[in-house]
Amino acid sequence: MKRLITKLVSLLILIGAPSSAFASSYIMHTVKPGDSLNSIAQEHKVSYNQLTNLNGKEELYAGSLVKIRPIAGNKDIRIYLNDQIVTSDTSPYMENGRTFVPIRFVAEAIGIEQINWNGQNEEAILMKNGVTISLPIRQSYAMIDNKSIKLDAPINIYNGRTFVPLRFVAEAFNVDVQWQESTASVKLYTKDYKTLSIQTEVKSASYSQEDLYWLSRLVHAEAEAESFEGKLAVANCIINRKKSKDFPNTIKEVIFDKNWGVQYTPTANGTIYNTPSEESVRAARMALEGNNNIGESLYFLNPKKSTNSWVIKNRTFYKRIQNHDFYL
């Protein structure tokens, strides 16, 4: 009879403890029998030198992982659960278009009730709400309640952790998954959260459909890659201007204000007209309903990109949220 060792105590090195650090995310390749760096380079249309620079010239063995290239734009893959970022001590990687994450990370993120280890078959077993998933190491299949499911890339060991396909595991446990390529972000939404999810209709008589329309677009254009807290802060800066005697008295007029020159780059480059994400709509709506996380701030900028020294020299710094500095 197969012996299950609960909680994976004996596999701590494979699962690891959570942390808040990010490393680099890569496109990976699982070595197959007969593979060489030359053949892998040809398969992925990269140079041999690029592979040796990323991986060295150590002997390959079947089942090991080879770095092909960093994620486009040298981005780290970021994971969000119900619009809040969640982190792991080992960065996710991608293979065959699938995002792989440490098994403990996904288990804790979506509230897996029980994690077991089958030493005889070398497989992790996850259980929640009557659903059981078996994830055999270095295999390109998994089992859901004894039904075999083919995977696009194998479960593997990387940086001392067991890595599993995030979408497969999440969706098996009834968690919605969205991939946002522009920011290399994976968004996870539990069903109970989705029932309270983004509504584009007006929820309060204190603001109009036009207010929500333009504010959500400005938030998305200015803070798409920011955390939800950052999006909420940007939205509140616009609202604070609307309330100030020094700025126009409607959301739309504040956004398109040119009294002292273009105030927001998206109105000049056209990104203000892009369709906002659900998270941007939610941030705008919450700000309009009175959820203020940035006090009376009227200005924000990215100090790494901004060429506007006037704000820095003439306004009072209030707070930094991710990549934006906010000023009163």
Side-chain angles (χ1 to χ4, degrees), residues 39-55:
S39 66
I40 294 171
Q42 291 174 9
E43 179 179 342
H44 292 276
K45 296 180 173 55
V46 297
S47 70
Y48 173 85
N49 288 339
Q50 177 174 318
L51 294 189
T52 56
N53 287 338
L54 290 175
N55 302 279

Side-chain angles (χ1 to χ4, degrees), residues 17-192:
S19 173
S20 60
F22 275 111
S24 298
S25 295
Y26 291 91
I27 304 295
M28 307 290 267
H29 171 93
T30 299
V31 176
K32 301 181 290 292
D35 274 351
S36 66
L37 283 180
N38 273 321
S39 66
I40 294 171
Q42 291 174 9
E43 179 179 342
H44 292 276
K45 296 180 173 55
V46 297
S47 70
Y48 173 85
N49 288 339
Q50 177 174 318
L51 294 189
T52 56
N53 287 338
L54 290 175
N55 302 279
K57 296 183 179 180
E58 296 182 6
E59 183 178 355
L60 303 182
Y61 61 91
S64 64
L65 285 166
V66 171
K67 297 175 184 174
I68 303 301
R69 65 176 70 86
I71 297 295
N74 293 316
K75 296 173 182 174
D76 292 324
I77 297 173
R78 281 170 164 35
I79 313 296
Y80 294 81
L81 175 65
N82 293 340
D83 295 327
Q84 298 297 317
I85 194 165
V86 286
T87 58
S88 168
D89 63 338
T90 301
S91 188
Y93 68 81
M94 294 192 76
E95 185 171 7
N96 286 346
R98 300 300 180 187
T99 300
F100 281 73
V101 297
I103 189 172
R104 177 166 178 168
F105 167 79
V106 66
E108 291 187 349
I110 65 177
I112 298 300
E113 296 167 353
Q114 190 172 358
I115 309 173
N116 299 322
W117 174 251
N118 184 327
Q120 181 176 336
N121 293 342
E122 291 192 312
E123 63 182 4
I125 300 173
L126 308 181
M127 289 177 280
K128 181 182 180 183
N129 296 335
V131 176
T132 299
I133 299 180
S134 300
L135 301 159
I137 303 300
R138 294 194 176 90
Q139 299 296 325
S140 294
Y141 71 91
M143 306 288 292
I144 300 181
D145 295 333
N146 297 318
K147 179 181 179 181
S148 180
I149 307 294
K150 187 178 185 302
L151 304 176
D152 293 317
I155 299 155
N156 219 322
I157 307 297
Y158 179 56
N159 285 344
R161 305 287 188 270
T162 299
F163 273 68
V164 296
L166 176 58
R167 180 180 290 274
F168 171 79
V169 174
E171 291 183 345
F173 290 114
N174 210 24
V175 175
D176 288 343
V177 182
Q178 298 176 10
W179 167 251
Q180 190 175 71
E181 186 171 1
S182 61
T183 58
S185 299
V186 181
K187 305 292 184 72
L188 306 177
Y189 294 101
T190 57
K191 293 299 182 183
D192 57 341

Side-chain angles (χ1 to χ4, degrees), residues 1-31:
M1 181 168 178
K2 298 177 181 177
R3 185 178 173 215
L4 299 179
I5 305 176
T6 63
K7 302 303 182 185
L8 288 177
V9 174
S10 63
L11 289 185
L12 185 58
I13 188 173
L14 296 184
I15 299 175
S19 173
S20 60
F22 275 111
S24 298
S25 295
Y26 291 91
I27 304 295
M28 307 290 267
H29 171 93
T30 299
V31 176

Side-chain angles (χ1 to χ4, degrees), residues 134-301:
S134 300
L135 301 159
I137 303 300
R138 294 194 176 90
Q139 299 296 325
S140 294
Y141 71 91
M143 306 288 292
I144 300 181
D145 295 333
N146 297 318
K147 179 181 179 181
S148 180
I149 307 294
K150 187 178 185 302
L151 304 176
D152 293 317
I155 299 155
N156 219 322
I157 307 297
Y158 179 56
N159 285 344
R161 305 287 188 270
T162 299
F163 273 68
V164 296
L166 176 58
R167 180 180 290 274
F168 171 79
V169 174
E171 291 183 345
F173 290 114
N174 210 24
V175 175
D176 288 343
V177 182
Q178 298 176 10
W179 167 251
Q180 190 175 71
E181 186 171 1
S182 61
T183 58
S185 299
V186 181
K187 305 292 184 72
L188 306 177
Y189 294 101
T190 57
K191 293 299 182 183
D192 57 341
Y193 181 84
K194 288 297 282 186
T195 61
L196 302 173
S197 190
I198 316 310
Q199 303 294 326
T200 56
E201 66 269 18
V202 171
K203 293 294 185 179
S204 170
S206 64
Y207 63 94
S208 68
Q209 183 68 46
E210 182 181 71
D211 290 339
L212 182 59
Y213 180 92
W214 288 113
L215 186 58
S216 62
R217 278 159 174 73
L218 189 281
V219 168
H220 184 72
E222 289 279 9
E224 179 185 4
E226 300 296 302
S227 65
F228 181 79
E229 183 185 6
K231 291 179 174 67
L232 183 63
V234 166
N236 274 296
C237 276
I238 307 303
I239 293 171
N240 287 344
R241 285 197 176 192
K242 174 182 176 290
K243 296 176 180 178
S244 170
K245 62 180 178 59
D246 296 324
F247 297 93
N249 58 11
T250 71
I251 295 292
K252 183 178 180 180
E253 288 174 336
V254 166
I255 291 171
F256 288 93
D257 182 20
K258 294 183 180 179
N259 190 38
W260 303 102
V262 173
Q263 296 297 297
Y264 301 105
T265 302
T267 65
N269 63 22
T271 55
I272 186 65
Y273 300 105
N274 291 345
T275 301
S277 66
E278 291 186 347
E279 186 175 79
S280 295
V281 176
R282 178 170 172 257
R285 179 162 53 81
M286 286 183 64
L288 287 165
E289 292 174 357
N291 294 276
N292 187 334
N293 65 336
I294 205 62
E296 297 180 356
S297 296
L298 295 168
Y299 302 84
F300 64 90
L301 56 82

